[in-house]
């Protein structure tokens, strides 16, 4: 069975059409086109989120309710009118859209009247630090494991790693976080229980933040290590069976060099795209981890605003989160097109 | 027999007869799947564990006189003992009994959500793959958009848009899961549509929906079953996370997630760790077992899919 077709990269099924469809264009035009495609995407996301949120039975006004007073019904009604909550849903949505598109403003929090953009921007760095560290950490650990498992396929160590990776995707992150706190913070007092800074440090202190980062980043990385190492293993196995590896071995290249130079580089390519695909779940994981470790990122803000029905903040966070994911996907696709000459964004094929 | 390779000694007639009669016993499809499934030891262990879970969940009332929603405040925060094998929680509820009843809730939420997902996903994917063209493009663009919302945000928003009950939890989880299912169904339909048997069915005058439902979908059943199984594992995690955050199953109804939620305070965690450890282990072992089953099914149903 000799196939004349270039090897299909199975992991990418369903994503390459973006590349195939653009005939005869430069990388720059390709990036422009992909960016253009994200606009309707963000549009649909905003409609869905807004619709779901306003369907909610709760009422953002409820938190202003005076616990003992029944007589503030009038003032609450005025507040509703002021916040535009009495308008039909589509009018509320169009108002929001106008605010975002025309003024580049995402509205104001119902809870404390602060601009949503400001609230999110001050939370984003912490989330990015946490996610970035987790991604780096999982790459550093998962890639060697994947290579090792592929080279020693079905060995005892490979089976152990297989089992561990199953464990990694099966353990709920909040349970892992609680156990990590129980052992490393409460029992052995090695790492702090929560937060991003110590009590007596202010401003940016690299070592302090790193010290606080160890537990949440490791817990967040755990699941990613599990899935990345599996993907790396199957990607390596796919490459190792190809003709050029046999050629390299046949001409006497040392096994170490075959694996580390010829196979590894080619196997790494699909993994780049995978990280883009993993971003949404990683962001969701970060949200829970942040809540448990009181990490001052977007997670706590998201949960609080969902409980308070603070529509504007929820909209803002969801849009920022989706934008992050869309940019991540775009970057990984572009990166992939740049590093892999077999993918031609210019012509079909 | 004239083409027989001289290097291999010819069989005598009886031997050949015997071989052929062995061949004549055609293994049924189910038996072949079971034979391949059995080879995966972890998958067999996973299956046994899940069967035990289901039996424990169904028989939960037989194990103890304690009611899962009965709280014995005089005996709160008791360490594991003969009377209370997993100890008691801060309200005096028996952790073991509550975990068993939690299994009922958690497993049924996960399985019902999977079934709903299956119906929506297969229908959506089949329609998209069947019509193709502009309908397909629009339908898939919508899925693209929904999948770009970080799934956990979407889950929280959906869950928060309803008063939390068991059914709202199920709905929230299933509204999340159908997208990947519909993608798989669609891509299976697109590739199976090219097969010769589909062309043959078309030539015999069968209608297009008929081909999709009688010829193509039955052949796509293997990946659908695998994805559905793995989805049950994911659903258990989603339910646990939602309940942990207070947006899913509400106490006093026990679910593994909300049991952990009440155990997350630092004091409880330090002094009475069993209230957190046991429900967490229940979740972990359940999800792990379902994942093993899914992995085993993947190898058993479609040997070609191995290592993908």
């Amino acid at each position: 069975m000799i196939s004349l077709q270039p090897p299909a990269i199975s992991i990418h099924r369903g994503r390459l059409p973006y590349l195939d469809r653009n005939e005869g264009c430069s990388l720059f035009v390709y990036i422009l086109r992909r960016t253009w495609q994200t606009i309707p995407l963000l549009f649909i996301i905003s409609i869905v989120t807004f619709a779901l949120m306003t369907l909610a039975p709760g009422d953002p006004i409820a938190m202003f309710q005076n616990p003992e007073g029944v007589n503030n019904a009038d003032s609450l009604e005025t507040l509703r009118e002021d916040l535009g909550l009495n308008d039909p849903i589509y009018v509320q949505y169009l108002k929001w859209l106008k605010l975002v598109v025309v003024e580049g403003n995402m509205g104001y929090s119902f809870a404390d009247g602060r601009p949503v953009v400001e609230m999110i921007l001050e939370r984003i760095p912490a989330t990015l630090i946490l996610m970035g560290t987790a991604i780096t950490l999982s790459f550093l650990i998962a890639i060697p494991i994947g290579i090792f498992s592929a080279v020693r396929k079905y060995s005892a160590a490979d089976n152990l790693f297989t089992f561990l990776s199953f464990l990694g995707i099966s353990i709920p992150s909040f349970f892992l976080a609680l156990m990590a706190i129980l052992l490393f913070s409460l029992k052995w007092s090695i790492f702090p229980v929560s937060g991003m800074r110590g009590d007596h440090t202010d401003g940016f202190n690299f070592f302090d933040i790193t010290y606080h980062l160890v537990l949440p980043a490791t817990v967040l990385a755990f699941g990613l290590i599990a899935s990345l190492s599996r993907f790396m293993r199957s990607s390596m196995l796919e490459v190792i069976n190809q003709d050029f590896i046999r050629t390299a071995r046949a001409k006497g290249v040392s096994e170490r060099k075959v694996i580390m130079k010829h196979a590894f580089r080619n196997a790494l390519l699909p993994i780049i795209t995978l990280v883009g695909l993993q971003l949404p779940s990683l962001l969701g994981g970060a949200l829970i981890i942040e809540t448990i470790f009181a990490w001052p990122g977007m997670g706590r803000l998201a949960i609080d605003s969902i409980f308070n029905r603070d529509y504007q903040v929820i909209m803002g966070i969801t849009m920022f989160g989706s934008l992050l994911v869309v940019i991540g996907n775009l970057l990984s696709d572009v990166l992939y097109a740049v590093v892999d000459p077999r993918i031609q964004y210019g012509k079909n094929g | 027999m004239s083409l027989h390779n001289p290097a291999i000694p010819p069989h005598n007639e009886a031997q050949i007869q015997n071989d052929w009669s062995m061949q004549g016993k055609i293994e049924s499809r189910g038996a072949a799947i079971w034979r391949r499934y059995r080879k995966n030891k972890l998958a067999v262990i996973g299956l046994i564990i899940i069967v035990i879970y289901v039996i424990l969940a169904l028989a939960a009332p037989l194990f103890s006189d304690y009611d899962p929603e009965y709280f014995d405040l005089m005996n709160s925060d008791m360490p594991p003992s003969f009377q209370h094998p997993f100890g008691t929680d801060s309200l005096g509820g028996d952790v073991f009994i509550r975990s068993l009843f939690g299994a009922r809730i958690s497993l049924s939420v996960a399985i019902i959500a999977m079934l709903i997902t299956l119906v929506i996903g297969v229908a959506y994917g089949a329609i998209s793959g069947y019509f193709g063209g502009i309908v397909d493009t629009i339908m898939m663009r919508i899925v693209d958009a929904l999948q770009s919302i970080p799934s956990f945000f979407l889950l929280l928003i959906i869950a928060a848009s309803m008063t939390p009950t068991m059914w709202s939890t199920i709905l929230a989880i299933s509204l999340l899961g159908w997208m990947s299912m519909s993608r798989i169904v669609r891509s299976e339909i697109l590739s199976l549509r090219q097969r010769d048997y589909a062309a043959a069915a078309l030539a015999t005058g069968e209608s297009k929906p008929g081909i999709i439902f009688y010829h193509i979908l039955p052949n796509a059943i293997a990946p659908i079953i695998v994805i559905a199984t793995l989805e049950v594992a994911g659903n258990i995690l989603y339910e646990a996370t939602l309940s942990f955050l207070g947006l899913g199953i509400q106490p006093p109804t026990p679910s593994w997630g909300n049991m952990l939620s009440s155990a997350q305070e630092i004091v409880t965690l330090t002094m009475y760790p069993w209230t957190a450890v046991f429900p967490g282990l229940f979740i972990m072992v359940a999800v792990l077992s379902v994942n093993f089953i899914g992995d085993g099914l993947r190898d058993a149903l479609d040997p070609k899919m191995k290592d993908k």
Side-chain angles (χ1 to χ4, degrees):
Chain A
M1 283 262 283
I2 297 167
S3 158
L4 293 175
Q5 297 292 317
I9 300 160
S10 49
I11 298 170
H12 298 90
R13 211 183 290 153
R15 279 170 59 79
L16 283 181
Y18 283 130
L19 296 168
D20 297 342
R21 225 174 277 148
N22 302 293
E23 287 182 33
C25 64
S26 69
L27 184 61
F28 179 69
V29 175
Y30 167 67
I31 294 174
L32 267 189
R33 200 173 287 192
R34 279 296 309 275
T35 313
W36 179 245
Q37 280 172 348
T38 61
I39 291 173
L41 203 64
L42 290 174
F43 189 67
I44 300 176
I45 292 172
S46 71
I47 293 181
V48 171
T49 316
F50 203 90
L52 280 172
M53 241 169 30
T54 38
L55 279 176
D59 186 342
I61 294 303
M63 66 180 158
F64 294 111
Q65 196 125 33
N66 185 347
E68 63 256 19
V70 211
N71 52 355
N72 60 354
D74 273 353
S75 58
L76 284 184
E77 196 48 43
T78 327
L79 193 58
R80 284 183 144 272
E81 198 59 48
D82 285 351
L83 292 171
L85 290 167
N86 284 339
D87 296 333
I89 290 174
Y90 69 92
V91 175
Q92 291 188 37
Y93 175 73
L94 289 177
K95 274 187 180 166
W96 179 85
L97 195 66
K98 187 179 153 228
L99 209 62
V100 174
V101 176
V102 179
E103 297 175 33
N105 180 332
M106 302 196 93
Y108 300 89
S109 159
F110 290 150
D112 53 10
R114 294 179 56 203
V116 172
V117 177
E118 191 187 302
M119 291 173 79
I120 293 175
L121 284 182
E122 70 180 29
R123 299 289 192 125
I124 271 188
T127 299
L128 287 184
I129 290 176
L130 181 61
M131 284 175 66
T133 314
I135 291 178
T136 317
L137 200 65
S138 45
F139 255 90
L140 291 178
I141 297 172
I143 300 292
I145 292 179
I147 297 174
F148 182 85
S149 298
V151 175
R152 302 271 156 80
K153 194 179 166 190
Y154 300 136
S155 66
D158 177 33
N159 288 338
L160 180 68
F161 283 131
T162 305
F163 184 80
L164 286 179
S165 74
F166 268 108
L167 204 63
I169 57 169
S170 301
I171 192 165
S173 58
F174 59 89
F175 178 55
L176 191 64
L178 287 181
M179 290 302 108
I181 291 179
L182 177 62
L183 292 180
F184 293 100
S185 306
L186 300 176
K187 271 238 159 72
W188 300 325
S189 314
I190 304 174
F191 295 110
V193 174
S194 64
M196 188 161 127
R197 295 189 176 88
D199 291 337
H200 307 292
T201 45
D202 40 67
F204 184 82
N205 181 333
F206 179 78
F207 292 104
D208 190 41
I209 290 182
T210 311
Y211 178 56
H212 282 80
L213 196 56
V214 175
L215 279 191
T218 313
V219 171
L220 184 58
F222 203 72
L224 195 60
I225 294 172
S227 53
L228 266 188
S229 64
R230 294 312 287 169
F231 283 128
M232 188 63 200
R233 177 180 181 272
S234 58
S235 177
M236 271 300 272
L237 286 176
E238 210 165 303
V239 172
I240 282 177
N241 287 326
Q242 279 177 22
D243 290 344
F244 71 91
I245 294 294
R246 195 170 355 131
T247 310
R249 281 184 179 142
K251 70 180 188 188
V253 178
S254 72
E255 185 63 22
R256 191 189 160 76
K257 222 171 170 186
V258 168
I259 298 299
M260 294 315 292
K261 218 168 167 188
H262 298 247
F264 167 65
R265 287 190 180 179
N266 284 288
L268 198 58
L269 292 181
I271 306 297
I272 296 175
T273 314
L274 266 169
V275 173
L277 290 176
Q278 297 278 330
L279 268 186
S281 61
L282 194 67
L283 193 60
L287 194 132
I288 303 166
I289 303 288
E290 282 178 5
T291 314
I292 296 175
F293 284 94
W295 188 259
M298 295 204 301
R300 190 73 245 180
L301 185 65
I303 303 274
D304 284 345
S305 57
I306 280 174
F307 274 111
N308 289 338
R309 313 249 177 252
D310 201 340
Y311 295 162
Q312 308 279 356
V313 182
I314 303 176
M315 275 308 273
I317 290 180
T318 312
M319 292 315 289
F320 262 92
S322 309
L323 195 66
L324 203 67
V325 171
V326 169
I327 292 175
N329 281 343
L330 181 65
L331 269 182
S332 64
D333 274 3
V334 169
L335 206 62
Y336 193 66
V338 171
V339 293
D340 190 348
R342 281 176 304 183
I343 304 293
Q344 296 190 343
Y345 43 83
K347 287 180 201 129
N348 271 331
Chain B
M1 289 307 282
S2 58
L3 288 173
H4 196 19
N5 185 344
I8 300 169
H11 300 281
N12 60 41
E13 280 303 310
Q15 177 92 47
I16 290 170
Q17 208 71 44
N18 196 23
D19 281 356
W20 277 106
S21 66
M22 287 295 282
Q23 292 277 310
K25 261 193 213 159
I26 295 170
E27 198 177 22
S28 78
R29 198 168 168 208
I33 292 171
W34 175 236
R35 179 175 50 78
R36 286 197 295 263
Y37 186 87
R38 250 181 355 205
K39 271 193 219 154
N40 189 333
K41 286 195 193 72
L42 289 177
V44 175
I45 294 173
L47 190 64
I48 293 172
I49 292 177
I50 288 299
V51 169
I52 293 175
Y53 261 94
V54 171
I55 293 173
L56 282 179
L58 290 177
L62 303 177
F63 281 92
S64 166
D65 313 328
Y66 303 110
D67 182 335
E69 295 182 22
Y70 167 74
F71 297 102
D72 179 8
L73 285 169
M74 297 302 284
N75 282 314
S76 63
D77 295 322
M78 298 285 278
S81 63
F82 188 72
Q83 256 183 326
H84 303 282
F86 289 180
T88 60
D89 62 21
S90 57
L91 292 172
D94 183 292
V95 176
F96 178 66
I97 298 303
R98 286 176 64 77
S99 296
L100 292 193
F101 279 90
R104 285 185 165 193
I105 303 279
S106 299
L107 292 182
S108 37
V109 166
I111 292 170
I112 297 172
M114 179 272 284
L115 293 176
I116 298 176
T117 298
L118 199 65
V119 173
I120 304 178
V122 169
Y124 194 94
I127 291 172
S128 183
Y130 164 66
F131 282 105
I134 184 80
V135 177
D136 180 44
T137 309
I138 292 174
M139 287 178 81
M140 281 301 127
R141 222 7 90 76
I142 293 174
V143 171
D144 274 350
L146 290 178
Q147 285 193 322
S148 297
I149 307 178
S151 57
F152 203 74
F153 283 37
L154 193 61
L155 184 70
L156 286 185
I157 294 169
I158 299 174
S161 72
M162 293 174 283
T163 325
T165 59
M166 180 174 149
W167 285 101
S168 79
T169 312
I170 291 175
L171 195 64
I173 295 173
S174 41
L175 282 180
L176 203 72
W178 64 272
M179 293 172 273
S180 52
M181 179 68 81
S182 71
R183 257 180 198 286
I184 306 244
V185 172
R186 170 183 168 270
S187 74
E188 283 295 318
I189 284 183
L190 286 184
S191 81
L192 291 176
R193 216 165 59 165
Q194 314 288 334
R195 297 284 180 85
D196 289 342
Y197 65 79
L202 195 66
T204 59
E206 184 133 14
S207 67
K208 244 178 138 186
I211 296 174
I212 297 270
F213 282 100
Y214 295 118
H215 299 283
I216 293 182
L217 273 183
N219 281 293
I221 206 92
I224 292 176
I225 289 179
V226 173
I227 299 293
T229 312
L230 295 177
E231 208 153 77
V232 171
N235 289 351
I236 297 176
L237 283 180
Y238 279 136
E239 184 275 322
T241 314
L242 271 185
S243 302
F244 178 75
L245 292 173
L247 289 164
I249 311 292
Q250 301 294 313
T253 308
S255 111
W256 295 329
N258 70 26
M259 291 173 71
L260 266 164
S261 174
S262 43
Q264 67 171 316
E265 274 94 39
I266 301 289
V267 180
T268 317
L269 200 56
T270 328
M271 309 283 290
Y272 323 111
W274 55 87
T275 52
V277 172
F278 289 113
L281 286 179
F282 262 92
I283 303 175
M284 199 179 80
V285 173
V287 178
L288 197 61
S289 307
V290 177
N291 275 328
F292 283 147
I293 294 176
D295 193 54
L297 280 177
R298 170 165 34 210
D299 295 348
L301 291 175
D302 188 357
K304 282 175 291 183
M305 278 161 64
K306 201 166 182 178
D307 269 333
K308 287 283 168 198

